[in-house]
Amino acid sequence: MANRKPTISDVARVAQVSEATVSRALRGIQSVDPILVARVEAAAERLGYTPNPVAQDLRFGSSRAIGIMVPDLANPYFGRLVRAISRAATAKGYRTLLSDTGENPDEELGALGTLARHVDGVVMCSPRMSDSNLSQAAKLFQPLVMTARLSRGVGITSVAVDSYRDCGELIGQLHKLGHRRLVFVSGPEHSWQNAERARAVIDSGAFGMHCDVVAGGTEIVDGYKAVDLALEANPTVIVAFNDILAIGVYEALRERGVAIPRDVSVASFDDISIAAHLTPALTTVRSPREEIGQRALDALMALIKEEEVPATHSLTAEVVMRESTGPALQIDEQSTRL
Amino acid sequence: MANRKPTISDVARVAQVSEATVSRALRGIQSVDPILVARVEAAAERLGYTPNPVAQDLRFGSSRAIGIMVPDLANPYFGRLVRAISRAATAKGYRTLLSDTGENPDEELGALGTLARHVDGVVMCSPRMSDSNLSQAAKLFQPLVMTARLSRGVGITSVAVDSYRDCGELIGQLHKLGHRRLVFVSGPEHSWQNAERARAVIDSGAFGMHCDVVAGGTEIVDGYKAVDLALEANPTVIVAFNDILAIGVYEALRERGVAIPRDVSVASFDDISIAAHLTPALTTVRSPREEIGQRALDALMALIKEEEVPATHSLTAEVVMRESTGPALQIDEQSTRL
DNA sequence: CTCGGTTCAGATATCGATTTCTAGCCTATC
DNA sequence: GATAGGCTAGAAATCGATATCTGAACCGAG
């Protein structure tokens, strides 16, 4: 960019002082003769000089940039998260490098390596990375913060909601509404969040919730396709891994003439902006993206300054009950329906 | 990152050669004694040496990074676009710096300046920037490509769909369905795309379409709020600036008991992934994000290499007719409804 | 009047990598 | 056998900015 930018020596020549004086004058870091300061400032102004950040980075040994790794920007959830992190970084004078890892978790480690060389630290939103890759990443690239997953024991600072607890909370509320037969439409296979939510689902059997898990995925159609199998279990409520899947579930249920929430309730996770505006409005567990982004960045800044940072920041998501969940059908009602 | 990375002189010391030889050996750019090459490679391997990209950037005078400016990552449309650009850049060995300009178009120029210093070129997705800021940006930061807007005459290479033509195409198809009263729910105030679509709407009066424009915005609620005013015009079809607004329009219509498409048809622009899965499936004008991203990056690469590049790349969007549009109500049918 | 101390501008080393310059050595040819 | 030419490896310059070192000027005090 900016093919022939003026350098500090151009300014020095014009102002007829040394380069060192230009640097001092412009940064106000030491006392310099006001006359010289004025000359330097005038020269810099006239030439349109701004210090070359690459040279500064080399000198300071820091790039004042952070990296963000994100699996899928097309998902508004990650879009919001990236925005939150990026803004927090900008507020601290850091730039943001983005790395979209796409569908292949295998390349993540390599992409991280490339990214890491250019930045002072990385925030990973990589819920699907395997534990072994994760701990290897932790060894190789240190100022590192995870989001979208709590990684206890791997030695990576992580900021995320406790998906197990939050899912349990949701199921508890569904239980109060009388639901006893639940189907969970799962998310991406290796996702930590998915594992946690599925675990919560299964554990809820302890208080009398009959649960099944059917395979979902990451796209709307994955939710759509899961519905046939889900309905075989005769559920009173379907819980999807996230709002994207729930949209597919909505569509499939509607096509089959199953009314929400009269016949089957639907709930999911994330609370992307569309959730509240679907018909019926979707019950979902809102994860505090802005807060996650802010806390993740704070933790990263602390790590960069080599301060002590708690290993895990566990945030609380909020169950937002909307119209897609209602009282469970009684058994006899349900059988007449079929 | 990586607190104390080995440098080239560490490798040189271990391999007992000069730094110059290390550089030559590792890059294979000149003939070097194979014995020394082996020594250097072994040393580099052992130390885990990779060249410091900041130093390389300084030396080469290029950062091998591009910048992307984007107004709103929470909008899945921009998420997809950023992903497309970012992947194309990665494929060419370029990194991606992201700048989320947020709501205030005033800061865009400043943010662009900051971004521009760090990269070899910038892709702007800034449909709302004023023409004067735009031409100023074009002067200050040259390798620059616009998307989401065709800027003829401003001297910025742009890659976008021709919104005027595409909107005309959509209206033509609605006209064939018998629609004669249309309301356009507009997008962000200073958006070029919005201006073009509104212009197409107004010009369609020429072939007997009665049109009104009501103020919308960028969020779902903006579409929601616009509906009351829109219905006053008694339209047979509501066209929203984008799919996000259309979601709000859906919600409001449903609350008012207006059936889509029986009573009123709805159409919009973008074709974000949710559009096809709404009920009814949303008729929309699909803009080819992947192609826009790829072409924008190609154009930027060409500019960086100082090749000649056509000023505007005009792509074609595709009208995707789905269930939300149907034949217009006849006048008498409509009056019985009210 | 001179000496010690302070202040400030310029010269220089530095960050890490690459490239040009240079010197030495080997070979080939007359 | 001597000189010219071709290679190769090391020394040094370079990219642009900043921090440290150095030297000069100026101040006040003895």
Side-chain angles (χ1 to χ4, degrees):
Chain A
M1 204 89 188
N3 304 354
R4 218 156 294 284
K5 277 268 182 180
T7 73
I8 198 170
S9 69
D10 295 325
V11 179
R13 198 172 338 104
V14 170
Q16 301 191 307
V17 296
S18 72
E19 301 178 12
T21 302
V22 174
S23 179
R24 283 189 284 249
L26 291 179
R27 316 178 67 224
I29 206 109
Q30 268 186 40
S31 63
V32 180
D33 187 337
I35 296 175
L36 294 187
V37 173
R39 279 227 304 274
V40 169
E41 281 176 349
E45 171 73 20
R46 188 155 72 79
L47 296 173
Y49 168 79
T50 53
N52 179 335
V54 175
Q56 288 181 319
D57 288 351
L58 178 60
R59 187 68 238 254
F60 292 135
S62 114
S63 59
R64 291 195 77 74
I66 63 152
I68 303 180
M69 296 197 68
V70 61
D72 182 14
L73 269 182
N75 184 334
Y77 176 80
F78 290 114
R80 285 278 293 273
L81 186 55
V82 168
R83 190 175 69 173
I85 300 170
S86 166
R87 288 189 180 170
T90 304
K92 288 245 190 319
Y94 276 71
R95 285 164 298 116
T96 303
L97 262 79
L98 189 69
S99 180
D100 179 313
T101 61
E103 293 83 10
N104 26 10
D106 299 337
E107 293 181 11
E108 275 188 334
L109 207 56
L112 176 60
T114 308
L115 187 61
R117 295 248 41 188
H118 293 274
V119 297
D120 296 346
V122 172
V123 178
M124 297 184 68
C125 314
S126 304
R128 319 183 207 168
M129 193 181 245
S130 73
D131 267 357
S132 70
N133 274 359
L134 211 58
S135 52
Q136 202 180 339
K139 282 204 195 74
L140 292 174
F141 316 108
Q142 236 322 299
L144 197 62
V145 172
M146 290 282 316
T147 66
R149 121 186 247 162
L150 291 174
S151 54
R152 312 187 198 281
V154 192
I156 303 184
T157 303
S158 54
V159 177
V161 295
D162 183 337
S163 289
Y164 179 84
R165 186 189 54 205
D166 296 330
C167 187
E169 170 77 20
L170 172 66
I171 295 173
Q173 297 213 22
L174 294 170
H175 190 270
K176 273 192 210 134
L177 283 170
H179 292 278
R180 293 297 179 273
R181 303 185 71 85
L182 177 154
V183 172
F184 178 66
V185 179
S186 68
E189 211 174 335
H190 297 103
S191 154
W192 173 86
Q193 285 186 324
N194 185 58
E196 291 294 292
R197 287 173 191 164
R199 194 161 63 85
V201 164
I202 290 169
D203 289 358
S204 71
F207 51 93
M209 184 73 94
H210 181 275
C211 292
D212 289 282
V213 175
V214 305
T218 56
E219 305 290 332
I220 294 177
V221 292
D222 297 325
Y224 181 91
K225 288 183 195 152
V227 166
D228 273 333
L229 207 57
L231 287 179
E232 282 180 14
N234 235 355
T236 61
V237 57
I238 296 177
V239 175
F241 169 73
N242 68 18
D243 297 341
I244 301 281
L245 294 180
I247 291 170
V249 170
Y250 265 44
E251 190 184 11
L253 288 180
R254 226 178 250 129
E255 285 181 12
R256 283 157 188 71
V258 179
I260 310 170
R262 205 198 56 198
D263 302 331
V264 172
S265 290
V266 175
S268 59
F269 295 84
D270 286 355
D271 195 26
I272 60 180
S273 61
I274 296 143
H277 301 279
L278 294 171
T279 308
L282 178 62
T283 290
T284 187
V285 181
R286 174 187 302 151
S287 98
R289 286 154 290 221
E290 266 70 23
E291 195 186 348
I292 292 177
Q294 181 68 55
R295 296 277 290 271
L297 193 89
D298 289 346
L300 189 61
M301 291 289 123
L303 282 174
I304 289 173
K305 289 184 205 136
E306 307 200 336
E307 295 169 2
E308 283 296 312
V309 176
T312 58
H313 301 248
S314 176
L315 306 182
T316 312
E318 177 194 359
V319 177
V320 183
M321 297 300 279
R322 297 206 183 95
E323 300 157 9
S324 68
T325 46
L329 278 182
Q330 297 309 310
I331 300 296
D332 51 336
E333 290 181 69
Q334 190 173 32
S335 49
T336 60
R337 190 190 93 218
L338 297 173
Chain B
M1 204 92 190
N3 304 355
R4 219 155 294 283
K5 277 269 181 180
T7 73
I8 198 169
S9 70
D10 296 325
V11 178
R13 199 173 336 104
V14 170
Q16 300 191 308
V17 295
S18 72
E19 301 178 11
T21 303
V22 173
S23 177
R24 284 190 282 251
L26 291 179
R27 316 179 66 223
I29 207 110
Q30 268 185 41
S31 62
V32 180
D33 187 337
I35 296 175
L36 295 187
V37 173
R39 278 227 305 273
V40 169
E41 281 175 350
E45 171 74 20
R46 188 156 71 78
L47 297 173
Y49 167 79
T50 53
N52 179 334
V54 176
Q56 289 182 318
D57 288 351
L58 178 61
R59 187 68 237 251
F60 292 136
S62 118
S63 60
R64 291 195 77 74
I66 63 153
I68 303 181
M69 296 198 69
V70 62
D72 182 14
L73 268 181
N75 183 334
Y77 177 80
F78 290 114
R80 286 278 293 272
L81 187 55
V82 168
R83 189 173 71 172
I85 300 170
S86 167
R87 288 190 180 171
T90 304
K92 289 246 191 312
Y94 275 71
R95 284 163 297 116
T96 304
L97 262 79
L98 189 68
S99 179
D100 180 311
T101 59
E103 293 82 9
N104 27 9
D106 299 336
E107 294 181 11
E108 276 191 331
L109 208 54
L112 176 59
T114 308
L115 186 61
R117 294 248 41 189
H118 293 273
V119 297
D120 296 346
V122 171
V123 177
M124 297 184 69
C125 315
S126 304
R128 320 183 208 167
M129 192 180 247
S130 73
D131 267 358
S132 71
N133 274 359
L134 210 60
S135 53
Q136 203 181 338
K139 282 201 195 75
L140 291 174
F141 315 108
Q142 234 323 302
L144 196 62
V145 172
M146 289 284 314
T147 66
R149 127 185 242 162
L150 292 173
S151 53
R152 312 186 198 281
V154 193
I156 302 184
T157 304
S158 54
V159 177
V161 294
D162 183 336
S163 289
Y164 178 83
R165 186 188 55 206
D166 296 330
C167 187
E169 171 78 19
L170 172 66
I171 295 174
Q173 297 212 22
L174 294 170
H175 190 268
K176 275 194 209 129
L177 284 171
H179 293 279
R180 294 296 179 272
R181 302 186 71 85
L182 178 154
V183 171
F184 178 66
V185 178
S186 68
E189 211 174 336
H190 297 103
S191 153
W192 172 86
Q193 286 186 324
N194 185 57
E196 290 294 292
R197 287 173 192 164
R199 193 162 63 85
V201 164
I202 290 169
D203 289 358
S204 70
F207 51 91
M209 184 73 94
H210 181 275
C211 294
D212 289 281
V213 176
V214 305
T218 57
E219 304 289 332
I220 294 176
V221 292
D222 298 323
Y224 181 91
K225 287 183 198 155
V227 166
D228 273 332
L229 207 57
L231 287 179
E232 282 180 16
N234 233 356
T236 61
V237 57
I238 295 177
V239 175
F241 169 72
N242 68 18
D243 297 341
I244 302 281
L245 293 180
I247 291 170
V249 170
Y250 265 44
E251 191 184 10
L253 288 180
R254 224 178 252 128
E255 286 182 11
R256 284 158 188 72
V258 179
I260 309 171
R262 204 199 57 197
D263 302 331
V264 172
S265 291
V266 175
S268 59
F269 294 85
D270 285 355
D271 195 26
I272 61 179
S273 62
I274 296 144
H277 302 279
L278 294 171
T279 307
L282 177 61
T283 289
T284 187
V285 181
R286 174 187 304 150
S287 96
R289 289 153 288 222
E290 266 70 23
E291 195 184 348
I292 291 177
Q294 181 68 53
R295 295 277 290 271
L297 194 89
D298 289 345
L300 189 61
M301 291 289 122
L303 283 174
I304 289 173
K305 290 184 205 137
E306 308 200 337
E307 296 169 3
E308 284 297 311
V309 175
T312 58
H313 301 248
S314 175
L315 306 181
T316 312
E318 179 193 359
V319 177
V320 184
M321 296 301 279
R322 297 205 183 96
E323 300 157 9
S324 68
T325 46
L329 277 182
Q330 297 311 308
I331 300 297
D332 51 335
E333 289 181 68
Q334 191 173 30
S335 49
T336 61
R337 190 191 90 218
L338 297 174

